[in-house]
């Protein structure tokens, strides 16, 4: 008999198990694959290991801007992949050890919700049944596989890849076509371009990066074009055959050749076959419906992470897991979805939180905005020869609170949290002006831009 049964051992699941155990609950987490989920095994972390190698390579190959000359710099892809494996193993090993130390059970089997008994929720896994007073569903998401002609066959033959296989490629493809210019597509375009592929990103919209600020999207596109990535915008992929990717642009069919194709057109919550119907959990187009306390419609059953389809980011999953556990413990807690930072870990990085100017205006909020070159930060100027990054701030013209911060430029991923805190705490510009930032850091750009808000 457990206090909490957790289905899925990704960021939401393993963190919930840790927090529950730390608070004295008897928790068990069921994981059919590797602990750590997509994020640790085939997403956030492995891609960051690859992208760091791309950055080091870029700095070595273009070091002359800083007076550093390196001859014959090259990126050893096989080594990069093996280092990535080492990083992933170290981190997943760390989670296993922490769960053990805290006394949370890790059950390495597929768990299926069987129903409810008088004592609580029943999960079957590995030929046994487990009962828990509370349930947390954290089964994550899977890649969207759209009905593109020839796609399924191409995935079977290994010509087309998802985020999982692209991080395991033994050889760098000569020509890599990427379907979708969202986060995965852009990060992998950056890495494989550095590794030597001729990369073409085919994006259905007229811009890359989804909802990011349009000026930032253009800036990032130009930066990636400078290293050799080619973009085909307003182009919808319709067919994959042989070694060809066919797309429609302005009503006309065109095709490009490729050695490999990456499919990165989004992910969808994973809810099939886990037994939701046995306890009557409501879903909507495959996602579990939750409120800001991460409750489902079934008393005692919670859902956190990609499976609720709200924000689909690992850091949101962490917070949702904590909120679910706190509510289980009787401590009322809510997720503030207005202050969730988003990052694209390309070179340059893109980091943002809160509303863009357009989004704020669309909500009828009267705003004041400021845009400033990152070169106003001495540290940025010293470390980014020829850099053209910038920051945009959006504030409520009436109440004076900061509503959003949007940046393109390196290190922005590391200090966006400062802006997140300001947005989350509904801080007013007058109060933010009193915060002391360390000098010289790129983070000072927030302070500089705050004083530009008129
Ligand atoms: P995405 O939703 O970010 O981007 C998909 C793109 O594909 C969109 O721009 C869409 O317009 C385009 N598209 C859709 N169908 C198309 C077609 N037939 N032809 C051409 N373009 C088409 O999805 P992505 O990149 O697969 O990422 C999935 C999830 O992984 C995201 O929800 C994201 O939250 C998460 N992720 C987050 C990262 C981060 O925080 N840095 C990194 C990687 C993934």
């Amino acid at each position: 008999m457990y206090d909490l049964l957790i289905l899925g051992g990704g960021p939401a699941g393993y963190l919930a198990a840790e927090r529950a155990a730390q608070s004295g609950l008897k928790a068990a987490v069921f994981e059919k694959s590797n602990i750590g989920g997509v994020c640790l095994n085939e997403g956030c972390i492995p891609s960051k290991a690859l992208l760091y190698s791309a950055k080091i390579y870029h700095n070595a190959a273009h070091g002359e801007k800083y007076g550093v000359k390196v001859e014959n710099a090259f990126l050893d892809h096989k080594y990069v992949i093996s280092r990535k494996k080492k990083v992933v193993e170290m981190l997943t090993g760390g989670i296993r050890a922490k769960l053990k130390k805290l006394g949370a059970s890790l059950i390495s089997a597929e768990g299926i919700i069987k129903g409810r008994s008088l004592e609580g929720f029943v999960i079957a896994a590995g030929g046994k049944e487990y009962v828990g007073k509370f349930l947390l569903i954290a089964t994550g998401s899977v890649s969207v596989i759209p009905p593109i002609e020839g796609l399924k066959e191409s995935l079977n033959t290994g010509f087309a890849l998802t985020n999982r296989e692209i991080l395991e490629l033994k050889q760098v493809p000569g020509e890599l076509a990427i379907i979708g210019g969202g986060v995965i597509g852009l990060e992998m375009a950056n890495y494989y371009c550095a590794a030597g592929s001729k990369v073409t990103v085919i994006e259905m919209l007229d811009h890359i990066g989804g909802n990011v600020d349009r000026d930032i999207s253009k800036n990032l596109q130009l930066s990636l074009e400078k290293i050799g990535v080619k973009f085909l915008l307003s182009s919808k992929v319709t067919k994959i055959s042989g070694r060809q990717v066919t797309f429609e642009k302005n009503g006309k069919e065109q095709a490009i050749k490729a050695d490999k194709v990456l499919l990165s057109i989004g992910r969808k919550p994973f809810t099939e076959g886990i037994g939701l119907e046995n306890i009557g959990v409501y879903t909507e187009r495959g996602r579990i419906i939750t409120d800001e306390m991460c409750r489902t419609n079934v008393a005692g059953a919670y859902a956190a992470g990609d499976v609720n389809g709200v924000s689909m980011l690992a850091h949101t999953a962490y917070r949702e897991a904590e909120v679910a556990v706190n509510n289980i413990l009787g401590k009322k807690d809510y997720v503030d979805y207005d202050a969730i930072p988003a990052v694209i870990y390309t070179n340059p990085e893109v980091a943002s939180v809160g509303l863009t100017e357009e989004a704020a205006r669309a909500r009828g909020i009267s705003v004041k905005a400021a845009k400033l070159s990152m070169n106003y930060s001495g540290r940025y100027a010293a470390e980014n020869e020829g850099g053209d990054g910038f920051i945009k701030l959006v504030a409520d013209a009436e109440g004076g609170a900061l509503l959003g911060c949007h940046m393109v430029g390196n290190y922005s991923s590391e200090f966006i949290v400062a802006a997140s805190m300001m947005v989350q705490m509904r801080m007013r510009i007058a109060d933010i002006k009193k915060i002391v930032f360390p000098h010289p850091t790129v983070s000072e750009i927030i302070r500089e831009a705050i004083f530009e808000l008129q």
Side-chain angles (χ1 to χ4, degrees), residues 74-91:
F74 87 106
L75 185 149
D76 181 348
H77 176 72
K78 279 205 179 101
Y79 184 86
V80 174
I81 297 290
S82 67
R83 190 183 85 89
K84 171 218 82 169
K85 199 164 169 264
K86 204 174 69 187
V87 173
V88 169
E89 280 168 4
M90 184 186 81
L91 293 171

Side-chain angles (χ1 to χ4, degrees), residues 180 182-184 187 202-204 237 264 266-267 312-313 343 345:
V183 263
I184 295 182
E187 292 184 0
I202 310 170
E203 168 56 54
M204 162 171 108
V237 172
S264 49
R267 299 182 61 84
M312 297 184 86
L313 294 165
V343 175
Y345 296 86

Side-chain angles (χ1 to χ4, degrees), residues 145-188:
I145 311 289
I148 292 176
E149 196 185 323
L151 176 59
K152 282 209 174 117
E153 295 79 349
S154 304
L155 284 165
N156 288 339
T157 61
F159 173 51
L161 318 162
T162 67
N163 59 292
R164 176 180 301 157
E165 301 83 38
I166 192 82
L167 293 164
E168 290 292 335
L169 272 188
K170 299 250 169 353
Q171 268 188 336
V172 175
E175 294 187 56
L176 174 65
I178 297 182
I179 311 177
V183 263
I184 295 182
L186 295 171
E187 292 184 0
M188 287 302 101

Side-chain angles (χ1 to χ4, degrees), residues 38 43-44 47-48 141 143-144 146 148 163 178-187 202-205 207-211 232 234-238 247 263-268 306 311-315 341-346 350:
V38 170
C44 327
S47 60
K48 287 333 76 78
S141 63
S143 296
V144 170
I148 292 176
N163 59 292
I178 297 182
I179 311 177
V183 263
I184 295 182
L186 295 171
E187 292 184 0
I202 310 170
E203 168 56 54
M204 162 171 108
L205 303 176
H207 62 272
I208 59 167
N211 288 335
L232 297 168
S234 308
S235 303
K236 187 174 177 189
V237 172
T238 51
F247 57 94
L263 181 72
S264 49
I265 63 150
R267 299 182 61 84
K268 60 173 187 181
D306 283 9
S311 152
M312 297 184 86
L313 294 165
H315 43 275
V343 175
I344 308 178
Y345 296 86
T346 38
V350 169

Side-chain angles (χ1 to χ4, degrees), residues 80-370:
V80 174
I81 297 290
S82 67
R83 190 183 85 89
K84 171 218 82 169
K85 199 164 169 264
K86 204 174 69 187
V87 173
V88 169
E89 280 168 4
M90 184 186 81
L91 293 171
T92 51
I95 295 171
R96 269 193 297 271
K98 192 161 180 194
L99 289 174
K100 198 169 168 198
K101 188 172 149 228
L102 291 168
S105 308
L106 170 60
I107 293 149
S108 300
E110 183 176 16
I112 311 273
I113 305 165
K114 282 290 166 196
R116 285 188 89 148
S117 69
L118 280 178
E119 288 81 27
F121 297 96
V122 182
I123 287 188
K128 283 194 193 161
E129 285 199 342
Y130 299 79
V131 182
K133 265 188 259 169
F134 292 94
L135 172 67
L136 177 70
I137 305 157
T139 45
S141 63
V142 289
S143 296
V144 170
I145 311 289
I148 292 176
E149 196 185 323
L151 176 59
K152 282 209 174 117
E153 295 79 349
S154 304
L155 284 165
N156 288 339
T157 61
F159 173 51
L161 318 162
T162 67
N163 59 292
R164 176 180 301 157
E165 301 83 38
I166 192 82
L167 293 164
E168 290 292 335
L169 272 188
K170 299 250 169 353
Q171 268 188 336
V172 175
E175 294 187 56
L176 174 65
I178 297 182
I179 311 177
V183 263
I184 295 182
L186 295 171
E187 292 184 0
M188 287 302 101
N190 194 159
Y191 172 74
Y192 276 96
C193 185
S197 293
K198 262 180 79 184
V199 178
T200 307
V201 176
I202 310 170
E203 168 56 54
M204 162 171 108
L205 303 176
D206 64 359
H207 62 272
I208 59 167
N211 288 335
V212 301
D213 176 275
R214 290 291 181 276
D215 287 344
I216 289 181
S217 159
K218 277 183 216 145
N219 178 293
L220 178 60
Q221 185 180 333
L222 282 173
S223 297
L224 293 175
E225 279 171 349
K226 271 189 209 151
I227 63 162
V229 178
K230 207 173 151 201
F231 289 93
L232 297 168
L233 301 182
S234 308
S235 303
K236 187 174 177 189
V237 172
T238 51
K239 191 167 137 191
I240 301 178
S241 57
R243 288 279 175 265
Q244 283 214 146
V245 181
T246 306
F247 57 94
E248 237 178 63
K249 189 177 168 79
N250 302 326
K252 275 198 209 130
E253 245 188 21
Q254 301 175 41
I256 58 164
K257 271 199 311 94
D259 297 306
K260 292 280 179 199
V261 180
L262 169 65
L263 181 72
S264 49
I265 63 150
R267 299 182 61 84
K268 60 173 187 181
F270 178 68
T271 51
E272 272 167 42
I274 57 171
L276 292 182
E277 63 288 353
N278 296 332
I279 52 169
V281 172
Y282 289 163
T283 59
E284 178 189 73
R285 275 177 279 126
R287 74 172 195 98
I288 295 181
I289 302 170
T290 49
D291 63 9
E292 286 168 343
M293 292 166 81
C294 297
R295 297 178 298 191
T296 69
N297 61 301
V298 175
Y302 292 73
D306 283 9
V307 76
N308 66 26
V310 181
S311 152
M312 297 184 86
L313 294 165
H315 43 275
T316 308
Y318 284 147
R319 179 67 193 133
E320 288 173 339
E322 285 169 353
V323 165
V325 171
N326 284 340
N327 286 312
I328 287 168
L329 289 165
K331 299 185 245 172
K332 268 215 160 85
D333 201 1
Y334 304 86
V335 185
D336 183 350
Y337 287 106
D338 287 338
I340 293 184
V343 175
I344 308 178
Y345 296 86
T346 38
N347 186 9
E349 295 168 351
V350 169
S352 62
V353 67
L355 297 177
T356 58
E357 204 178 333
E358 306 89 81
R361 289 196 205 285
R363 287 195 193 181
I365 305 171
S366 111
V367 294
K368 44 187 182 178

